[in-house]
Amino acid sequence: MKRTRATGWIFSTALFFLAQGARAQTVTIPVETRNNALVFQADANRNVGIVYMGARLQDKNEYALATGMYKQTSDYSGVANAAYATSGTRNLFEPALSVTHVDGNNSLDLQYVRHESKQLDNNTSLLSIYLKDPVYNFEVTLFCKSWFNEDVTEQWSEIKHNEKGKVTLHKYASAGLYLKASSYWLRQYHGDWAREMQPEEAKLTHGIKTVDSKLGTRANLFQPSVFMVSLDKPATEDEGTVLYGALEWSGNFRVDLELDNRDNLRIMAGINNYASPYTLQPGEVFTTPAFLSVLSTKGKGAASRQLHNWARNYKILDGKGTRLTLLNNWEATYFDFNENKLKELLKDTRKLGVDLFLLDDGWFANKYPRNNDNAGLGDWGENKKKLPNGIATLVQEAQQNQVKFGIWVEPEMVNPKSELYEQHPDWVVKQVSRPEHYFRNQLVLDLSNPAVQDFVFGVVDNLFTKNPALAYIKWDCNAVIYNAHAAKLGNQSHFYVQYVQGLYNVLKRLRAKYPTVPMMLCSGGGGRVDYAALQYFTEFWPSDNTDPLERIFMQWEYSYFYPSVSMSAHVTDWGKQPIKFRTDVAMMGKLGFDIVVSHLKEKDLQFCQEALKTYESLKPVIWQGDQYRLQSPADHDVASLLYLNEARSRGVVFNYLVNNRYEAGSVLPIRLKGLDAKKRYTLKEVNVFPGTSSGIDSSKSYSGEFLMTVGFNPDVKQGRNSVVIEIKAVD
Ligand code: GLA
């Protein structure tokens, strides 16, 4: 008999059910990376569970012995450790996947069929585990991609069925993890505009802790989708076992952390199913976004260095590439500028010594001019009054000043006071019969609509077409979604999912046409950063709050998850600190300025110009080096962190006073990390303010052992509240 797709299906299904009678053999499937192992196991009843997650063992055969060492109470169901828990059958805990079949039945049981492992390159492997329901024609493939050197894994699933009609997915998480420890400590984040990445760390208690977002766009504003869980005790920078998790999805997400009756922890992460039951057609494949995790048995520092390496090598657009320093005009002018004023700023850009001028909000719209945030969003023609000769003149002027030119857009949004809103009311996300509710006086465009996707693509594409020399885009997103309703969408419960897919379609199209141009991911601050978005962006804007004291804390927390090459940090007039402090803080990320250069005092300007030269020489270390957080601002008077190149021959230490109390300062030496104990190093203070001198003797050298055992005192105190030190190995 010729095997068609249909007969092939019947054949393999028959084999599968025949096999059901007999108990299968246990299949143990370890995913090993340099330091760790995540071990799946299909048991004799074909349930696929997680039997081990932790340090890698020398002998692969011993993974299967791990569960036998735990004398916990009975797992009544036999599926408590499910790799992808279902509902309606035996599972007693939070499901990853919950469905209603075409006949109205709510049960799902996913059983092991087979698995395969592929080596994608010398560092990357992909495991696929095929699962199938023995009763319904319903299948799931679990994927686990792993990067050996970086200990990073991404997990996701593909869900499909061939039932005779539609199946509803009520919950469709990307993946589950299952951990065993004596206690679990969750570090999670919360925030709002201008106070992103506020940490909270607490012991998980029994039941479910959910970290989620229902904001639609700007989804991370109140709670970002990154977290970490320490096992047995809170991990420190250098000690303890800690798992970092993050969902690669720029919309509503949900992470459930469930501590069960046997004191094991189940972590389930995926798209938030809030208001989003998904109708899956026969043959359609639903691919969930990737859940990213990295495990470290050597504390938080090792975990973040691994993650940074992975992000730069494999995820962030141009992660190993260079970045442009810039002067932004947002805080210098807000909406109040014209061509002449910008021409002056272009001269200032050159004078300051940065690579690029970034023109912010306010350059567009005519019928409803963009003179404040009440009007104009959506109308992307240059404002004739402010810019009678258009952007092109400014780009030329920039070239004459030997600087590059970049521009701000917020293409997903619309002000009700705009021509776009008048012309395309059905492009706007809103409930037609209910009052509109605004976030920053604006509404969100319906990116689930392909016509809107074309429009949004066109906003950026037109700018590049008209101005091929345009060198940078700041892509903003300042509103959340209220009254979620899309006029052209057949199934409203697909809206939140299809919005994000629509956004990615646009970004993919843009990147196909403009693969390398740097783009900043902004969302009124850091309301949108995640690793799915960073595939299309070279950097993100952590917060509109640029008060350097606040930034030290925020950048510190972001640094657990994102490398400095991706973190834009600008010197502005926020905060009361001197320009040196502000610049020193911005230098720990991707440096930019947003100040009125012509208002700077002579020495301040001179300082900035020299700091930019120093940054030019140190940026390979800051962007690509290993980061060691030496002293946290949360529990020290002086926050201190070090970047060190791979050869451990060059580094830079940033030290900031974060406490103004009497005699607060670096009383004790600060122990450096990561150096070569046997090498000798000189330490030279850089970013020394003109007219002052450093007390640090740069001709002296110290052994790496000394610097890591005794430490070095940068002498941070009142009046010397930030100190930047360059470290060099002596040949
Ligand atoms: C957001 C951004 C700012 C600035 C303004 C412009 O708030 O985060 O940096 O671009 O929009 O309106």
Side-chain angles (χ1 to χ4, degrees):
M1 187 172 74
K2 197 173 159 225
R3 264 184 87 175
T4 61
R5 262 180 94 180
T7 54
W9 160 255
I10 293 164
F11 183 67
S12 57
T13 307
L15 269 184
F16 181 72
F17 286 117
L18 263 180
Q20 289 301 295
R23 278 167 71 82
Q25 278 200 338
T26 299
V27 186
T28 306
I29 313 165
V31 176
E32 290 185 319
T33 55
R34 183 182 294 284
N35 295 302
N36 301 324
L38 168 61
V39 185
F40 299 90
Q41 191 176 66
D43 68 12
N45 295 315
R46 296 185 171 76
N47 301 313
V48 178
I50 292 174
V51 292
Y52 181 79
M53 189 172 189
R56 181 178 153 187
L57 304 179
Q58 291 300 312
D59 179 357
K60 271 189 181 33
N61 295 320
E62 289 195 326
Y63 292 127
L65 306 176
T67 31
M69 293 297 128
Y70 291 82
K71 304 294 175 203
Q72 295 167 298
T73 57
S74 158
D75 163 14
Y76 304 97
S77 65
V79 292
N81 67 339
Y84 203 64
T86 58
S87 60
T89 44
R90 284 155 298 138
N91 173 37
L92 298 170
F93 299 101
E94 184 63 29
L97 182 60
S98 182
V99 309
T100 299
H101 296 284
V102 67
D103 63 1
N105 187 293
N106 286 328
S107 68
L108 187 65
D109 188 13
L110 292 173
Q111 300 196 347
Y112 174 79
V113 179
R114 66 188 171 89
H115 75 275
E116 66 196 26
S117 257
K118 270 191 227 151
Q119 191 71 34
L120 303 180
D121 59 39
N122 60 7
N123 191 38
T124 322
S125 315
L126 181 66
L127 165 71
S128 315
I129 305 178
Y130 298 89
L131 308 171
K132 201 176 138 357
D133 189 302
V135 176
Y136 284 90
N137 196 341
F138 192 103
E139 299 175 13
V140 169
T141 308
L142 303 182
F143 294 94
C144 182
K145 191 170 179 182
S146 53
W147 286 265
F148 187 83
N149 288 328
E150 294 79 11
D151 291 318
V152 168
T153 59
E154 277 183 345
Q155 292 171 265
W156 71 96
S157 62
E158 276 181 9
I159 305 164
K160 66 176 177 193
H161 71 86
N162 267 305
E163 299 187 22
K164 292 190 174 54
K166 300 167 190 166
V167 170
T168 306
L169 311 182
H170 301 287
K171 190 178 181 199
Y172 35 93
S174 297
L177 287 176
Y178 193 67
L179 300 162
K180 288 176 184 283
S182 56
S183 59
Y184 309 86
W185 302 80
L186 171 68
R187 189 173 185 84
Q188 62 174 113
Y189 295 89
H190 67 98
D192 202 335
W193 179 77
R195 46 185 197 90
E196 289 87 345
M197 285 305 271
Q198 307 296 315
E200 281 171 324
E201 192 160 319
K203 187 176 174 180
L204 283 168
T205 55
H206 289 83
I208 302 183
K209 169 80 192 180
T210 299
V211 179
D212 81 336
S213 169
K214 302 183 180 74
L215 308 184
T217 42
R218 211 180 175 177
N220 289 340
L221 182 62
F222 298 156
Q223 284 198 317
S225 54
V226 293
F227 64 94
M228 53 177 107
V229 176
S230 301
L231 305 187
D232 300 319
K233 60 178 184 197
T236 63
E237 282 297 322
D238 301 306
E239 279 175 355
T241 300
V242 60
L243 175 95
Y244 286 23
L247 190 72
E248 299 180 24
W249 183 247
S250 311
N252 292 348
F253 65 86
R254 171 172 170 178
V255 181
D256 293 311
L257 302 111
E258 183 174 27
L259 184 56
D260 69 17
N261 59 316
R262 300 194 306 156
D263 309 327
N264 298 325
L265 184 70
R266 183 173 296 97
I267 300 176
M268 210 92 72
I271 294 176
N272 198 341
N273 55 334
Y274 161 75
S276 299
Y278 195 91
T279 307
L280 195 66
Q281 306 289 340
E284 180 186 347
V285 178
F286 187 89
T287 305
T288 62
F291 170 57
L292 166 74
S293 64
V294 59
L295 181 80
S296 157
T297 53
K298 299 185 192 78
K300 293 173 178 173
S304 64
R305 286 187 289 279
Q306 293 290 68
L307 193 52
H308 293 173
N309 279 333
W310 171 83
R312 285 182 297 230
N313 282 314
Y314 300 104
K315 211 66 184 185
I316 298 172
L317 189 88
D318 206 14
K320 300 293 276 185
T322 189
R323 298 289 185 273
L324 300 167
T325 55
L326 58 82
L327 177 69
N328 188 193
N329 72 312
W330 174 238
E331 293 189 19
T333 65
Y334 293 104
F335 297 95
D336 181 21
F337 56 81
N338 56 30
E339 187 177 300
N340 285 340
K341 209 167 182 177
L342 293 180
K343 283 184 172 169
E344 288 307 309
L345 295 186
L346 283 164
K347 289 197 184 86
D348 288 348
T349 310
R350 169 110 170 106
K351 190 165 160 196
L352 183 62
V354 289
D355 302 318
L356 175 131
F357 175 74
L358 170 60
L359 175 59
D360 214 285
D361 196 354
W363 57 268
F364 50 89
N366 287 293
K367 181 172 175 190
Y368 303 103
R370 181 75 172 165
N371 292 330
N372 54 50
D373 61 19
N374 261 315
L377 257 192
D379 301 345
W380 295 102
E382 291 105 322
N383 179 282
K384 297 264 174 340
K385 221 166 160 191
K386 290 184 196 173
L387 306 178
N389 302 304
I391 298 294
T393 305
L394 296 171
V395 178
Q396 273 167 22
E397 186 80 11
Q399 278 169 336
Q400 274 155 27
N401 282 290
Q402 291 166 308
V403 293
K404 295 182 176 178
F405 191 86
I407 202 160
W408 178 98
V409 289
E410 195 183 2
E412 291 158 84
M413 303 282 161
V414 63
N415 281 127
K417 262 193 184 171
S418 69
E419 289 183 80
L420 183 72
Y421 182 93
E422 289 171 352
Q423 287 157 10
H424 295 284
D426 60 344
W427 282 10
V428 180
V429 176
K430 59 178 182 171
Q431 298 281 356
V432 183
S433 50
R434 297 183 191 279
E436 290 178 1
H437 191 75
Y438 307 123
F439 200 106
R440 206 194 188 204
N441 309 307
Q442 65 195 54
L443 290 166
V444 179
L445 293 177
D446 169 20
L447 268 177
S448 71
N449 179 347
V452 176
Q453 292 174 25
D454 288 345
F455 169 80
V456 173
F457 171 81
V459 171
V460 180
D461 188 39
N462 288 339
L463 279 167
F464 280 126
T465 310
K466 286 194 202 145
N467 308 288
L470 202 61
Y472 187 92
I473 297 281
K474 175 176 176 181
W475 181 304
D476 215 336
C477 167
N478 278 300
V480 303
I481 291 176
Y482 295 118
N483 291 314
H485 183 88
K488 299 284 179 200
L489 189 64
N491 186 340
Q492 293 300 318
S493 41
H494 288 194
F495 171 68
Y496 284 122
V497 172
Q498 290 195 1
Y499 183 93
V500 180
Q501 289 170 340
L503 172 68
Y504 294 157
N505 282 345
V506 172
L507 292 168
K508 269 182 210 142
R509 274 173 76 184
L510 280 171
R511 280 312 180 189
K513 198 160 173 189
Y514 309 103
T516 54
V517 59
M519 291 212 297
M520 182 209 273
L521 171 64
C522 178
S523 187
R528 198 182 224 185
V529 56
D530 68 79
Y531 274 117
L534 283 176
Q535 296 176 94
Y536 308 103
F537 292 87
T538 46
E539 54 213 76
F540 70 95
W541 183 234
S543 178
D544 276 358
N545 190 337
T546 46
D547 177 324
L549 187 62
E550 294 296 329
R551 273 298 184 109
I552 291 168
F553 285 82
M554 282 189 224
Q555 290 171 192
W556 190 271
E557 297 301 329
Y558 275 117
S559 82
Y560 288 113
F561 301 95
Y562 301 103
S564 61
V565 71
S566 67
M567 207 186 298
S568 295
H570 296 178
V571 177
T572 75
D573 286 335
W574 282 53
K576 299 183 182 70
Q577 298 83 349
I579 193 100
K580 169 171 162 54
F581 190 87
R582 286 179 270 151
T583 309
D584 288 355
V585 172
M587 261 174 76
M588 76 175 262
K590 202 226 83 173
L591 178 64
F593 290 80
D594 193 349
I595 46 172
V596 186
V597 176
S598 58
H599 290 179
L600 288 177
K601 292 188 191 116
E602 199 187 317
K603 278 190 178 161
D604 285 358
L605 175 63
Q606 191 192 336
F607 171 79
C608 293
Q609 289 165 330
E610 281 165 13
L612 272 157
K613 287 190 192 119
T614 305
Y615 189 72
E616 182 64 28
S617 113
L618 285 172
K619 69 190 188 188
V621 181
I622 298 172
W623 294 347
Q624 302 296 334
D626 280 330
Q627 185 187 56
Y628 293 86
R629 286 173 296 266
L630 304 175
Q631 282 193 180
S632 150
D635 39 42
H636 291 87
D637 288 348
V638 176
S640 179
L641 80 158
L642 159 72
Y643 298 94
L644 193 62
N645 71 354
E646 209 185 337
R648 298 191 284 170
S649 58
R650 191 155 180 238
V652 54
V653 195
F654 292 96
N655 307 280
Y656 312 114
L657 185 67
V658 294
N659 186 348
N660 271 335
R661 295 193 66 181
Y662 180 66
E663 286 201 331
S666 57
V667 179
L668 306 179
I670 296 171
R671 288 192 194 102
L672 307 191
K673 292 178 186 172
L675 303 177
D676 183 336
K678 295 200 184 82
K679 278 192 178 135
R680 294 195 72 80
Y681 295 89
T682 55
L683 291 89
K684 179 183 166 209
E685 183 170 354
V686 294
N687 281 7
V688 177
F689 196 77
T692 68
S693 59
S694 172
I696 294 174
D697 180 354
S698 58
S699 66
K700 261 196 187 150
S701 74
Y702 305 84
S703 68
E705 182 194 31
F706 178 89
L707 294 170
M708 293 191 291
T709 311
V710 178
F712 184 80
N713 201 320
D715 194 21
V716 179
K717 56 192 176 198
Q718 296 282 350
R720 196 179 142 76
N721 54 7
S722 68
V723 176
V724 183
I725 296 174
E726 182 182 1
I727 306 178
K728 266 190 189 159
V730 182
D731 293 329

